[in-house]
Structures are given as C-alpha cells and as structure tokens.
Amino acid sequence: MIRDPQTLALLLDSVKRFVRSKLVPAEHRLAETDEIPPALIDDMRELGLFGMCIPEQYGGLGLTMEEEVLVAFELAWTSPAFRSLIGTNNGIGSQGIIIDGTSAQKEKYLPRLASGELIASFALTEPDSGSDAASLRTSAVRDGDVYILNGTKRYITNAPEAGVFTVMARTDPNSKGAGGISAFLVEAGAPGLSLGKRDIKMGQKGAHTCDVIFENCRVPAENLIGSQEGIGFKTAMKVLDKGRLHIAAVCVGVAERMLNDALAYAMERKQFGKPIADFQLIQAMLADSKAEIYAARSMVLDAARRRDAGEDISTEASCCKLFASEMCGRVADRAVQIHGGAGYIAEYAVERFYRDVRLFRIYEGTSQIQQLLIARNMIKAATT
Ligand code: COS
C-alpha cells in the first residue's frame, strides 16, 4: 500500500541520490577499513533511515511494507553493510517491540531507535542453535522483579554497536521447545552482559557481528516483551516473516547494481574487435539476470502488498527470500563471469559483491529452512 505517492516519490528520490552520490563512492574505503564513516551515519540519521519502519507516533516514518521494499530496492544499490547498520532498527531489532511490546516498552525504546540514537540488535542464534531456533538454551530465571539470564548468542548483527538487544531465552526449563521461550529487551550496559570479539567475515565489511554473552545478567521483569512468558518464539518468527521479505528486497537491489556494472563493463570491454556485449553468450547472461531480477522484484512487491492488506504472508515471505537470495547468487556469479579476469580483482565492485551476497542465502533462515517452511505450509493448508 502506498499512502501518498508524492511523498514516497520524494523519499525514494532522496534515498537514491544519497546512495549514489555518497555511499557508492565510499564503498571501497568501507571494505578496506571495515568501518562506516561517522559523517555518513549522521547523514543516515538526518534522512530518517533508522526509523523508516517505526510508527510515526514514535518518531519514525511508519512506512508500509510496500513502501519499505521500494526504499530497500534503492538502498541496496550499494554495499549491503550500509543497509545493515539501519537494518536492525527497522527490522529484527525493533519489530519485536512493535508487534508484541507493551505501550511502556514502545514509548521507552522506539523514539530513540527511530532517531538512530540507539542501535537495536536481535539475539536468537546460539553456538548450538541455528536453524533449529526452538532448541535455544539461554536461560532466564525469575528472581523477584528481575530475570537472570545465562547463555551465549552467536553471530549477532550490530551487537558491537547495539544499545538494546531483543534476546530470546528459555523461561520454562521443563519445556524443551518453542513454548518455553520468552523475549526480553536487554540494554547494553546491563550487569553481566559482555561482548565477544568481532567476527572476521567473508564479506559485508563494515557490518559487524560478535557473540553476546550473559553471565547472571540481571534484566528488569518489565523488559519481558509483551509482559508475557512463553510467547517469545512466536514473536521471533513474526519478526522474521517481515525480515525475510525485507532481505528479499535487498537481494533485488544488489542484483540490479551488479547487473548494471556487468552491462557497463560488457559494453566497454572489447574483444575480437567489438564490445563483448555484442556476443550472444554474454547477452544470455545479461538477459537471464534481467528476467530473474524482474521476477524477484514482482514477487516481493506482491507479497508486500498482501502483507499490507492483512494477509498472513509466512509462505510468500519464505518464497521471496528463497528465490531472491538464490537469484542474487546467480547474478553475482554471472557478473563476475562477464567481467572475466577483472571480476576476480578487488578494484572492481563485483568481486566484493560476490562475497557480500553469499550471506543472503544463509541469514534470517537458510534457503533450506525456507524450502522446509514453504512445503510444510503447503501440506498444512492441504490437510485443513
Ligand atoms: N508467525 C507466528 N507464529 C509462528 C510462526 C510465524 N511465522 N511460525 C511458527 N509459529 C508458531 C507455531 O504456530 C507454533 O505455535 P504453537 O506451538 O502454538 O502451534 C510455534 O510457533 C512453534 O512453531 P514450529 O512448530 O513451526 O517450530 P519449529 O521448532 O518446528 O521451527 C523453524 C520452525 C525451523 C521454522 C524455525 O526454527 C526457524 O525459522 N528457524 C530458522 C531460524 C532463523 O531464521 N535464524 C536466523 C537467525 S536470526 S537473523
């Protein structure tokens, strides 16, 4: 749903201009330094990018899902690490509060997340609990008006920068599955919370992850999301439904950028006396990429519109994440191939993108988890 086409057009235009004039020229340096320059983070705050998906009453832009994916297409036309910094405040870091939080939790955290004063992070994965998220072992034991958390969370995006974490922990030790899990808001300075050293990743330099460790970490009981034990796993799944659709939109944007670079290279690079774009085998790679990007874009827009209309889009979100992330991997591979030897050299952006986009098939649910979810929902629908 697009609320006001003119306002949205202005937003899309300013995001596009910012991405192409400020972020694209900073990509190479970002990859070298592993840091986003503070001046660019200030620009992101000024543009309202940290609060795009936070309701207007809490200082955000309150974008609908359709508006959000349109912005994500533009934002993703550069290194994914830039989007990653604002990604958690708009997605997995804030949505638990927005979807299931109490009014007090919303009032306390959302305005600071919307302004970008506070960075949010989502802590679900553990050393022994990845795809099988319901097997998580971090414990939360009530002691008067606090919960005491113990356990380790792994590969937590934006943890080094985070001011507040949405942490899934087991409040019912007798329930080994999803029903025993609750979600908490844990502030970075909480006693007993510490961070591991930053992970050294294959790509997405500038987007930071690390372990988050809880050792008798005391969290006020009022920070239990929704003030209700046992609903934390469902909160996490609802957050991921939306997150997966957003990541699919990001895959579309990055793929468009890689195809843009590949086309420009193919038109400029000459072999056998003419631009390689004139050769049909190169044209096949360009055309397949264009068609697949168009398909993913159409899927993402359709699912976004359905979500705005109030439909349950669990299956569609998984379809979009599966197709768009796999498509993005294929486009990255073709973009490197079209560049030939140059595609293997760090001077060309496609070398970096090739490594950056590998993550899309893994995080927020692997391709195999998306397949499992789609098929499971199909079987469920057929038997009810
Ligand atoms: N929305 C609302 N509720 C949901 C839901 C959703 N999208 N998905 C599941 N639930 C509910 C179920 O209805 C079920 O509730 P009841 O017990 O009341 O019936 C409960 O949550 C447990 O769900 P389920 O039985 O499907 O749990 P499983 O252990 O089988 O787990 C998968 C399912 C594999 C889907 C889950 O563990 C998963 O998504 N894994 C991937 C995790 C991930 O993406 N990690 C990425 C890191 S975070 S960036």
Side-chain angles (χ1 to χ4, degrees), residues 125 131 133-134 178 234 237-238 240-241 244 314 364-365 373 376:
T125 301
S131 288
K234 289 185 189 176
M237 290 300 115
K238 287 184 267 184
L240 285 172
D241 277 347
R244 287 165 182 163
S314 283
E364 300 205 16
L373 275 168
R376 208 163 75 166

Side-chain angles (χ1 to χ4, degrees), residues 236-375:
M237 290 300 115
K238 287 184 267 184
V239 166
L240 285 172
D241 277 347
K242 180 170 185 292
R244 287 165 182 163
L245 193 46
H246 178 92
I247 294 298
V250 171
C251 293
V252 170
V254 182
E256 277 174 348
R257 165 64 189 282
M258 292 187 292
L259 184 57
N260 171 82
D261 285 15
L263 175 63
Y265 187 84
M267 290 171 70
E268 188 194 297
R269 170 79 174 161
K270 290 196 176 72
Q271 286 295 282
F272 305 103
K274 53 183 176 179
I276 60 169
D278 286 356
F279 293 109
Q280 290 182 341
L281 293 179
I282 297 287
Q283 289 176 356
M285 287 194 273
L286 293 170
D288 284 353
S289 300
K290 181 80 183 170
E292 289 191 50
I293 292 171
Y294 178 50
R297 191 183 172 94
S298 306
M299 285 171 77
V300 167
L301 280 167
D302 175 70
R305 288 177 190 134
R306 286 170 187 263
R307 188 177 190 276
D308 286 337
E311 282 183 42
D312 175 354
I313 52 113
S314 283
T315 306
E316 286 74 15
S318 287
C319 290
C320 289
K321 166 76 165 56
L322 171 66
F323 183 79
S325 63
E326 295 287 334
M327 171 282 287
C328 196
R330 289 191 292 273
V331 171
D333 193 68
R334 293 184 198 118
V336 168
Q337 196 67 19
I338 290 169
H339 278 72
Y344 206 67
I345 302 296
E347 195 186 322
Y348 291 84
V350 291
E351 181 275 339
R352 183 166 24 82
F353 279 115
Y354 182 80
R355 287 180 287 109
D356 288 345
V357 305
R358 189 63 185 82
L359 186 58
F360 295 144
R361 289 152 65 191
I362 300 171
Y363 72 175
E364 300 205 16
T366 60
S367 290
Q368 290 67 33
I369 286 296
Q370 309 310 329
Q371 289 173 314
L372 179 153
L373 275 168
I374 296 163

